[in-house]
Amino acid sequence: MFLANWLCDNHLKDPLAKLIVENVHLHLLPSLNPDGFTLRKRGNANNIDLNRDFPDQFLFLNDDEDSRQPETRAIMNWSRDIQFTASATLHGGALVANYPWDGTDDKRTFYYGCPDDDAFRFMASIYSHSHYNMSSSKEFLDGITNGAAWYPLYGGMQDWNYIHAGCFELTLEISDNKWPVAAELPIIWKYNKMSMLNLVASLVKTGVHGRIYSSGDGRPLPASITVSGINYTVRAGRTFADYHRLLAPRDKYEVVATMPGYKSRNTTIWLDEGAMTLDFVLDPEVSVKGGILQNVYDCNCDSKSKLEFVEFLWGSHFEVFFVFIVILGFLCILFQKRKKVKISTTKQRTVMV
């Protein structure tokens, strides 16, 4: 809560606070496990460790969401509903910024990076190097670690968020003391203040973001964003089709926007220290079926789609529509002439017989 209070008190006078308040939708959850926090134990009221309760990519028998604890289900629903760009969970008992993957497919302990390993290392380094002494750790190089290289765990929130919610999550161990008393909290806040602020601000200062539209009618498209060479998909928002793709700076990327029923579009960018705005305008795919020009995406036959089809033709594709009508008229004339010739020939043959 120190973070929330500081932002409220300083957003009119501190540039960093102003940047965050004006550009970031920041959600704060005081405790994921209020019962365990009160009882000073890892488990919840049912004595279940919530950070081992999420479905896991390496434990296929752990996929049943209905069997999750209520706190776990609430977080899963919340994450998918909001579509967070990034998140961080605060833990105690060590001093390190931890990033995916947390587990390995064979349960061994070794470095096992996710597709966005470079971006996660960049985010973790921002936190560590902004901290009072995290980057000076003797146990973890630069104060950061891959989860599986530290110790593999399964059913964790960090990996689930990245895989299923499109959210880049760090696990931040912010104090060597597992259960600090209230009197220690101001010191912990002091040591972590700039780390928290710089990490949140990095969501504005880095990566590529924008919106995706249809060239036909300008409507927002909840399309998918991929980056060549990185096996991960970010989906644009359902309402405004806005997206934010976190990427490590100082590199070249090919960004691709795709949407069913539309032609994909790609562009190559050089991402420097700052963030880049990149909007996409996608052209509808068009096919001819049964002599009728159709937008593939709107080819169902309800009245709304028919209206959209007419608007599509009468709008920016009027020239195509006009040429189509001319060709159709020409074919009709040829058909009529051919029919008359056929009738005349038939009559001549009848006379000859």
Side-chain angles (χ1 to χ4, degrees), residues 135-180:
S135 62
S136 303
S137 171
K138 295 181 180 179
E139 181 180 1
F140 304 102
L141 181 63
D142 288 332
I144 67 175
T145 186
N146 170 260
W150 186 11
Y151 64 91
L153 68 84
Y154 302 90
M157 178 177 170
Q158 178 174 263
D159 287 4
W160 183 90
N161 253 328
Y162 177 66
I163 296 172
H164 298 285
C167 177
F168 286 49
E169 178 164 304
L170 296 178
T171 301
L172 303 174
E173 305 281 352
I174 63 172
S175 171
D176 287 318
N177 189 348
K178 184 70 174 178
W179 304 103

Side-chain angles (χ1 to χ4, degrees), residues 313-326:
L313 291 178
W314 194 255
S316 61
H317 294 76
F318 176 76
E319 295 86 356
V320 177
F321 178 65
F322 179 78
V323 172
F324 175 75
I325 292 298
V326 171

Side-chain angles (χ1 to χ4, degrees), residues 115-330:
D116 279 291
D117 190 62
D118 288 343
F120 273 108
R121 289 178 61 87
F122 172 71
M123 293 168 60
S125 295
I126 288 176
Y127 197 93
S128 174
H129 287 277
S130 301
H131 191 273
Y132 175 74
N133 60 350
M134 185 180 288
S135 62
S136 303
S137 171
K138 295 181 180 179
E139 181 180 1
F140 304 102
L141 181 63
D142 288 332
I144 67 175
T145 186
N146 170 260
W150 186 11
Y151 64 91
L153 68 84
Y154 302 90
M157 178 177 170
Q158 178 174 263
D159 287 4
W160 183 90
N161 253 328
Y162 177 66
I163 296 172
H164 298 285
C167 177
F168 286 49
E169 178 164 304
L170 296 178
T171 301
L172 303 174
E173 305 281 352
I174 63 172
S175 171
D176 287 318
N177 189 348
K178 184 70 174 178
W179 304 103
V181 297
E184 296 179 48
L185 295 182
I187 298 298
I188 295 176
W189 160 244
K190 178 181 178 181
Y191 288 174
N192 288 273
K193 172 184 172 182
M194 291 311 302
S195 295
M196 293 182 182
L197 294 173
N198 287 334
L199 180 62
V200 175
S202 72
L203 305 182
V204 180
K205 295 179 178 180
T206 59
V208 57
H209 60 263
R211 293 184 176 179
I212 309 169
Y213 305 95
S214 167
S215 65
D217 52 15
R219 63 176 168 176
L221 298 176
S224 298
I225 294 292
T226 56
V227 176
S228 298
I230 301 178
N231 185 24
Y232 190 75
T233 300
V234 170
R235 289 176 175 80
R238 292 180 289 270
T239 303
F240 301 107
D242 55 315
Y243 75 91
H244 192 106
R245 181 60 166 94
L246 295 177
L247 293 165
R250 298 181 296 279
D251 207 345
K252 183 172 70 173
Y253 299 97
E254 183 183 26
V255 185
V256 185
T258 57
M259 175 78 181
Y262 289 81
K263 298 177 182 178
S264 63
R265 188 177 293 273
N266 64 291
T267 186
T268 300
I269 63 170
W270 171 261
L271 194 60
D272 214 332
E273 294 295 336
M276 174 177 289
T277 299
L278 179 62
D279 294 334
F280 285 94
V281 179
L282 303 185
D283 296 324
E285 289 183 344
V286 177
S287 66
V288 177
K289 293 184 178 180
I292 299 177
L293 194 64
Q294 289 184 309
N295 179 343
V296 175
Y297 189 66
D298 295 322
C299 62
N300 52 0
C301 298
D302 57 22
S303 58
K304 180 181 178 181
S305 294
K306 291 178 181 178
L307 178 60
E308 290 176 346
F309 172 55
V310 172
E311 292 175 346
F312 165 75
L313 291 178
W314 194 255
S316 61
H317 294 76
F318 176 76
E319 295 86 356
V320 177
F321 178 65
F322 179 78
V323 172
F324 175 75
I325 292 298
V326 171
I327 294 174
L328 184 61
F330 180 73

